[in-house]
PDB file of all heavy atoms in Angstrom:
ATOM      1  N   SER A  37       9.773   1.885 -17.355  1.00  0.00           N
ATOM      2  CA  SER A  37      10.127   0.660 -16.516  1.00  0.00           C
ATOM      3  C   SER A  37       9.213  -0.388 -16.554  1.00  0.00           C
ATOM      4  O   SER A  37       9.448  -1.506 -16.201  1.00  0.00           O
ATOM      5  CB  SER A  37      10.388   1.065 -15.125  1.00  0.00           C
ATOM      6  OG  SER A  37       9.054   1.431 -14.456  1.00  0.00           O
ATOM      7  N   GLY A  43       0.106  -1.825 -13.955  1.00  0.00           N
ATOM      8  CA  GLY A  43      -1.015  -1.433 -13.332  1.00  0.00           C
ATOM      9  C   GLY A  43      -0.841  -0.317 -12.328  1.00  0.00           C
ATOM     10  O   GLY A  43      -1.914   0.225 -11.765  1.00  0.00           O
ATOM     11  N   LYS A  85       1.148  11.507 -19.367  1.00  0.00           N
ATOM     12  CA  LYS A  85       1.701  10.127 -19.408  1.00  0.00           C
ATOM     13  C   LYS A  85       0.830   9.033 -19.193  1.00  0.00           C
ATOM     14  O   LYS A  85       1.046   7.834 -19.115  1.00  0.00           O
ATOM     15  CB  LYS A  85       2.842   9.972 -18.362  1.00  0.00           C
ATOM     16  CG  LYS A  85       3.985  11.000 -18.464  1.00  0.00           C
ATOM     17  CD  LYS A  85       4.861  10.830 -19.709  1.00  0.00           C
ATOM     18  CE  LYS A  85       5.963  11.742 -19.833  1.00  0.00           C
ATOM     19  NZ  LYS A  85       6.884  11.451 -20.999  1.00  0.00           N
ATOM     20  N   GLY A 153     -16.022  18.761  -7.171  1.00  0.00           N
ATOM     21  CA  GLY A 153     -16.117  18.864  -8.544  1.00  0.00           C
ATOM     22  C   GLY A 153     -15.171  17.970  -9.270  1.00  0.00           C
ATOM     23  O   GLY A 153     -15.140  17.973 -10.535  1.00  0.00           O
ATOM     24  N   GLU A 174     -17.210   5.086   6.849  1.00  0.00           N
ATOM     25  CA  GLU A 174     -18.199   6.002   6.641  1.00  0.00           C
ATOM     26  C   GLU A 174     -17.831   7.389   6.484  1.00  0.00           C
ATOM     27  O   GLU A 174     -18.555   8.285   6.206  1.00  0.00           O
ATOM     28  CB  GLU A 174     -19.272   5.885   7.798  1.00  0.00           C
ATOM     29  CG  GLU A 174     -18.749   6.167   9.110  1.00  0.00           C
ATOM     30  CD  GLU A 174     -18.509   4.807  10.007  1.00  0.00           C
ATOM     31  OE1 GLU A 174     -18.238   3.832   9.346  1.00  0.00           O
ATOM     32  OE2 GLU A 174     -18.901   4.912  11.135  1.00  0.00           O
ATOM     33  N   ASP A 188      12.715   0.465   6.354  1.00  0.00           N
ATOM     34  CA  ASP A 188      13.343  -0.400   5.354  1.00  0.00           C
ATOM     35  C   ASP A 188      14.194  -1.547   6.036  1.00  0.00           C
ATOM     36  O   ASP A 188      15.392  -1.579   6.042  1.00  0.00           O
ATOM     37  CB  ASP A 188      14.175   0.361   4.326  1.00  0.00           C
ATOM     38  CG  ASP A 188      14.771  -0.454   3.274  1.00  0.00           C
ATOM     39  OD1 ASP A 188      14.257  -1.701   2.960  1.00  0.00           O
ATOM     40  OD2 ASP A 188      15.713  -0.103   2.612  1.00  0.00           O
ATOM     41  N   VAL A 219       8.815  -0.672   0.751  1.00  0.00           N
ATOM     42  CA  VAL A 219       9.992  -0.434   0.794  1.00  0.00           C
ATOM     43  C   VAL A 219      10.947  -1.214  -0.148  1.00  0.00           C
ATOM     44  O   VAL A 219      12.177  -1.222  -0.187  1.00  0.00           O
ATOM     45  CB  VAL A 219      10.713  -0.602   2.280  1.00  0.00           C
ATOM     46  CG1 VAL A 219      10.095   0.428   3.192  1.00  0.00           C
ATOM     47  CG2 VAL A 219      10.463  -1.976   2.726  1.00  0.00           C
ATOM     48  N   ALA A 339     -12.621 -36.169   1.357  1.00  0.00           N
ATOM     49  CA  ALA A 339     -13.725 -37.062   1.207  1.00  0.00           C
ATOM     50  C   ALA A 339     -14.505 -36.727   0.099  1.00  0.00           C
ATOM     51  O   ALA A 339     -15.303 -37.653  -0.505  1.00  0.00           O
ATOM     52  CB  ALA A 339     -14.477 -37.164   2.591  1.00  0.00           C
ATOM     53  N   ARG A 361      -2.951 -32.360   1.317  1.00  0.00           N
ATOM     54  CA  ARG A 361      -2.025 -31.398   1.974  1.00  0.00           C
ATOM     55  C   ARG A 361      -0.960 -31.021   0.933  1.00  0.00           C
ATOM     56  O   ARG A 361      -0.720 -31.714  -0.054  1.00  0.00           O
ATOM     57  CB  ARG A 361      -1.464 -31.845   3.270  1.00  0.00           C
ATOM     58  CG  ARG A 361      -0.436 -32.978   3.139  1.00  0.00           C
ATOM     59  CD  ARG A 361       0.188 -33.216   4.478  1.00  0.00           C
ATOM     60  NE  ARG A 361       1.332 -34.112   4.271  1.00  0.00           N
ATOM     61  CZ  ARG A 361       2.246 -34.161   5.248  1.00  0.00           C
ATOM     62  NH1 ARG A 361       2.454 -33.429   6.180  1.00  0.00           N
ATOM     63  NH2 ARG A 361       3.303 -35.310   5.039  1.00  0.00           N
TER      64      ARG A 361
END
Side-chain angles (χ1 to χ4, degrees):
S37 66
K85 300 290 180 177
E174 58 257 37
D188 183 19
V219 294
R361 70 171 186 158

